[in-house]
């Protein structure tokens, strides 16, 4: 959803002319930009999503390092189901990175506006997200914050975004200040345990939570304090998931001990089950 630029909004970032606001978070803002560099004849300017760090936070070395890691992680991932990194400058006065612009709503916004997705649409969504995770894991990266707000629904399929808290395989889920990363309503039980308990299969748990939301229109676990969410993370999936997306849910490890990471398949294994989904 496009928003008007504010008086304080930049009009240019790197080679990009800023056109509108796309969103904002606690640490930065995202803008719609147009590449002003010369292009081939009869082609318009390339549209991009430009993420920046808030001006008051650029002096924080830890945040700048995190932004640099996000850039390196996004560059390492190669999948048509993730937003492709186009350019970045983590050492600029105000660090920025630019990814391909996906003209579509987040899964969260789409479900809020239109309600649960049709069953076959959920199957196709699941297959696209599994392929995104396969590319992410192939780069030996975990995306511990897979949630509806981090999934864009574009014309070519879903795109996973936001590698701000992505981790290399074997890294923990706590920040330097001891704050747990991830979204409690979608994170796996091992996210809560922290440290090296989080593995690639933890993303599969998050994936199943996302599909439950897409199929039912509500988050899979109770909202509220982290402690309450953790208790619900130990439960089996809701009836909505079992009835609506049983084939996909089963492949994500919801049929047999989903609270144990070792019982969940990897993204590559899940991706091999295509019988109930149309080709992408």
């Amino acid at each position: 959803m496009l928003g008007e630029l504010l008086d304080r909004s930049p009009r240019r970032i790197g080679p990009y002319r800023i056109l509108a606001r796309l969103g904002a978070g606690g640490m930065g803002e995202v803008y719609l930009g147009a590449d002003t560099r010369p292009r081939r004849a009869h082609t318009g300017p390339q549209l991009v999503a430009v993420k920046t760090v808030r001006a008051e936070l650029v002096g924080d070395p830890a945040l700048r390092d995190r932004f640099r890691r996000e850039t390196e992680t996004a560059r390492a991932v190669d999948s048509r189901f993730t937003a492709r990194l186009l350019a970045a400058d983590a050492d600029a006065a105000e660090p920025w990175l630019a990814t391909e612009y996906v003209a579509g709503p987040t899964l969260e916004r789409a479900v809020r506006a239109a309600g649960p997705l049709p069953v076959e649409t959920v199957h196709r969504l699941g297959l696209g997200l599994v392929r995104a995770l396969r590319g992410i894991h192939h780069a030996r990266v975990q995306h511990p914050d897979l949630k509806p707000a981090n999934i864009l629904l574009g014309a070519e399929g879903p795109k996973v975004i936001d590698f701000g808290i992505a981790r290399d395989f074997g890294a923990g889920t706590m920040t330097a200040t001891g704050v747990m990363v991830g979204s409690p309503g979608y994170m796996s039980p091992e996210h809560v345990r922290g440290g090296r308990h989080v593995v690639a299969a933890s993303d599969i748990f998050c994936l199943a939570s996302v599909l439950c939301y897409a199929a039912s229109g509500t988050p899979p676990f109770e909202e509220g304090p982290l402690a309450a969410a953790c208790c619900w993370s130990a439960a089996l999936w809701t009836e909505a998931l079992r009835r609506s997306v049983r084939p996909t849910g089963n492949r994500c490890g919801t049929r047999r001990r989903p609270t144990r990471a070792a019982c969940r398949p990897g993204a590559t294994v899940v991706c091999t089950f295509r019988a109930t989904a149309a080709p992408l």
Side-chain angles (χ1 to χ4, degrees):
M1 190 172 183
L2 302 181
E4 293 185 5
L5 294 176
L6 307 176
D7 290 340
R8 61 177 174 79
S9 299
R11 267 46 182 183
R12 177 173 290 275
I13 299 175
Y16 306 108
R17 181 165 61 91
I18 301 305
L19 305 176
R21 298 171 68 239
L22 293 176
M27 294 184 294
E29 295 188 85
V30 182
Y31 299 96
L32 175 65
D35 194 337
T36 57
R37 291 172 292 189
R39 290 171 59 85
R40 293 179 298 177
H42 309 298
T43 61
Q46 182 181 29
L47 295 180
V48 300
V50 186
K51 181 177 181 178
T52 64
V53 174
R54 291 187 183 278
E56 62 270 23
L57 300 177
V58 297
D60 184 346
L63 188 144
R64 189 176 285 268
D65 287 343
R66 173 176 166 177
F67 197 88
R68 185 175 290 106
R69 287 196 303 271
E70 178 177 0
T71 299
E72 295 170 351
T73 299
R75 183 174 287 118
V77 175
D78 182 18
S79 171
R80 73 182 182 95
F81 294 99
T82 60
R84 181 166 52 96
L85 179 70
L86 300 174
D89 188 352
D91 297 315
E94 294 185 11
W96 59 270
L97 64 82
T99 63
E100 62 175 310
Y101 171 62
V102 180
T106 64
L107 175 61
E108 179 181 56
R109 184 180 295 274
V111 172
R112 283 184 177 180
L117 304 182
V119 173
E120 291 196 4
T121 302
V122 176
H123 290 164
R124 291 177 61 84
L125 171 68
L127 184 56
L129 295 178
V130 166
R131 287 172 168 171
L133 288 181
R134 183 174 61 178
I136 294 169
H137 294 168
H138 181 74
R140 300 195 62 75
V141 170
Q142 299 165 22
H143 190 302
D145 199 23
L146 187 67
K147 60 183 179 180
N150 283 342
I151 298 165
L152 292 172
L153 303 181
E156 299 180 352
K159 298 266 190 178
V160 174
I161 61 172
D162 197 351
F163 290 89
I165 61 173
R167 294 287 187 268
D168 293 335
F169 280 8
T173 55
M174 296 292 216
T175 65
T177 58
V179 178
M180 187 177 299
V181 297
S183 299
Y186 296 91
M187 67 172 57
S188 69
E190 55 268 23
H191 273 79
V192 180
R193 297 171 65 192
R196 299 185 182 278
H197 296 288
V198 176
V199 293
S202 305
D203 285 341
I204 301 298
F205 188 103
C206 298
L207 166 63
S209 298
V210 166
L211 296 180
C212 181
Y213 174 80
S216 66
T218 58
F221 307 119
E222 288 288 319
E223 296 181 353
L226 177 61
C230 294
C231 291
W232 278 92
S233 291
L236 294 177
W237 302 108
T238 64
E239 189 67 18
L241 178 62
R242 292 201 299 269
R243 290 180 178 177
S244 301
V245 289
R246 180 177 296 150
T248 306
N250 287 346
R251 291 162 198 160
C252 293
T254 62
R255 180 170 55 184
R256 294 166 49 189
R257 302 294 297 277
T259 58
R260 294 184 57 184
C263 293
R264 296 181 220 127
T268 299
V269 174
V270 176
C271 199
T272 62
F273 292 90
R274 304 180 184 180
T276 60
L280 288 176

